[in-house]
Amino acid sequence: MWQEMSNPAVLAKIGRRLKDIRIKQNMTQGELAEQAGMSILTVANIEKGKPVSMLLFLCAIRELGLLENLELLVPETKISPIELKRMQGKKRHRVRHTKNNSHE
């Protein structure tokens, strides 16, 4: 379902869901804004599906008690014991691409 939606449509759907959760918790936009340390306009923008910074989004979902749900969105990468043994001492910290040395 989500894959077929455009990014603005996904933001709008998330915003509607957050608004429903806020209302179900009997919280006004002003109360959420104050508790999350943001303006009412920012809360309204989130609920309308307008782009906001990830930091502000996290502040809002934290105040709504939804932060633990991020584990479902971005699960920790699990490594098998065999792969872990193979990688000991070789854990990758970054990706590097080599330049094509066609000039030399």
Side-chain angles (χ1 to χ4, degrees):
M1 169 178 91
W2 294 90
Q3 288 89 357
E4 294 88 36
M5 297 172 68
S6 67
N7 289 340
V10 170
L11 286 176
K13 187 170 197 121
I14 290 170
R16 284 191 303 273
R17 288 185 180 186
L18 291 176
K19 179 179 181 179
D20 291 344
I21 290 166
R22 176 185 58 77
I23 291 169
K24 186 174 182 181
Q25 293 182 10
N26 200 30
M27 187 183 300
T28 66
Q29 284 184 334
E31 290 168 337
L32 177 57
E34 184 177 328
Q35 292 173 19
M38 63 182 70
S39 70
I40 294 175
L41 180 60
T42 301
V43 172
N45 284 339
I46 291 170
E47 292 181 354
K48 290 177 187 174
K50 294 186 178 180
V52 297
S53 78
M54 185 172 283
L55 181 60
L56 292 173
F57 178 77
L58 289 175
C59 290
I61 65 171
R62 179 183 301 277
E63 288 306 317
L64 292 170
L66 301 171
L67 197 58
E68 66 274 0
N69 294 332
L70 284 180
E71 187 62 36
L72 297 171
L73 179 63
V74 187
E76 185 177 344
T77 304
K78 303 287 185 189
I79 300 174
S80 72
I82 294 170
E83 188 67 24
L84 185 62
K85 182 69 175 168
R86 188 179 306 144
M87 289 178 57
Q88 273 185 330
K90 298 182 182 179
K91 185 175 180 183
R92 292 182 70 183
H93 295 281
R94 67 177 118 182
V95 175
R96 273 193 203 159
H97 296 287
T98 57
K99 290 185 177 181
N100 185 355
N101 294 328
S102 60
H103 290 61
E104 295 182 46

